[in-house]
Amino acid sequence: MTATSGLLTPSEVAAMFRVDPKTVTRWAKAGKLSAIRTLGGHRRYDEREVRGLLVGVPQPRGSQN
């Protein structure tokens, strides 16, 4: 988790969805995921929104929780 609670980096989101961080950036540019820009211009994603989207993603076989 980042220092700012509730916000995730592109790498953290990518790890959750098992995709490349560039894919997360493309999702944000396409409007599929909303991004917040830091003062330095980096994207951050709302953890609640990401987890809500993650619920709809089927889990790979063998990774039952």
Side-chain angles (χ1 to χ4, degrees):
M1 181 68 100
T2 60
T4 307
S5 183
L7 296 178
L8 301 172
T9 66
S11 294
E12 291 170 328
V13 176
M16 293 170 77
F17 283 94
R18 296 186 173 113
V19 296
D20 190 87
K22 295 270 186 194
T23 301
V24 177
T25 301
R26 282 194 296 271
W27 290 345
K29 286 182 179 180
K32 296 178 180 180
L33 184 61
S34 58
I36 298 165
R37 290 290 189 133
T38 66
L39 293 176
H42 300 279
R43 287 183 175 87
R44 296 294 181 261
Y45 303 93
D46 183 276
E47 184 177 8
R48 289 175 296 169
E49 179 183 0
V50 171
R51 291 196 184 279
L53 292 172
L54 193 60
V55 171
V57 176
Q59 295 296 315
R61 288 185 181 181
S63 65
Q64 297 175 2
N65 295 338

